[in-house]
Amino acid sequence: MAAVEVSEAEKVYILHGIRDDLRVDGRGCEDYRHMEIETDVVSNTDGSAKVTLGHTVVLVGIKTEIGKPRPMVPNEGYLEFFVDCSANATPEFEGRGGEELGTELSNTLYRVFNNKHSIDLKRLCISPGEHCWVLYVDVLLLQCDGNLYDAMSIAIKAALFNTKIPKVFISSDDEGGKDIELSDDPYDCMRLNVENVPCIVTLCKVGHRHIVDATLQEKACSVASLIMSVTHKGTVTCTRKVGGGSLDPESIFEMTEAGKRVGKALHAPLMKLLEQEESLGKKQQKVGFFG
């Protein structure tokens, strides 16, 4: 993970500010930085989104392909994740450093999103045991200024909301086999229900308090972090502790309650924003280098 060097004087300044619920950039301990979300930004994908969280920028593209269901769940489709850590984001992503982080991030995303509680995977089944939709989710980290997990999860939820899966027509041939035809009409498609798709909330323990959406400087002052995936109902579906320090039971309880509160509050405005952008259609204004 990208890191920065922070002097002892800077650490003291950051710690004292967090203790008084006033961070360096003026936020409270449970406040996110300014966030921008764009959907349908990559033309050769079936769904895409770009999220800018402070100076952290994540681009997600989703491609749909017909594959074979997994033997253990013959009536479900599935998702595959690939995370590419651009060396332009930070020099630490060059070579094996970026590959190892990409694998770690991909494994965490797989645990969070590829389950029946997040997405109705049965809707991705075309014919049980024979054909299903496979969603290849490619995540590109363009800039890194802390809180990668949260930015990635929001971008993935936005891209899944934007994903359009072609309608499938199955017919039988003379020999008893099955022919699969895809609809050519771009409006004749299936959309995913992303209401239950969780968002990841990362809480960093800094001093005797915890914060959300930590910058790289704040991350350098943190002893340990708790990564949680939270649904729109405030249900925790996955947790993971990272960092070399330890967390006492009281801190874990407080961080879990804060994560549920912050995660639950994140979903409603996110869905409202995605629905508003969807209603604009081609009228929506592209910003940044996609404009």
Side-chain angles (χ1 to χ4, degrees), residues 51-68:
V51 167
T52 303
L53 181 60
H55 294 294
T56 296
V57 183
V58 177
L59 179 66
V60 173
I62 298 178
K63 292 286 287 184
T64 59
E65 291 185 11
I66 295 178
K68 189 170 184 179

Side-chain angles (χ1 to χ4, degrees), residues 246-258:
S246 60
L247 295 172
D248 59 87
E250 185 179 353
S251 294
I252 294 174
F253 176 77
E254 291 177 355
M255 293 168 77
T256 302
E257 290 301 308

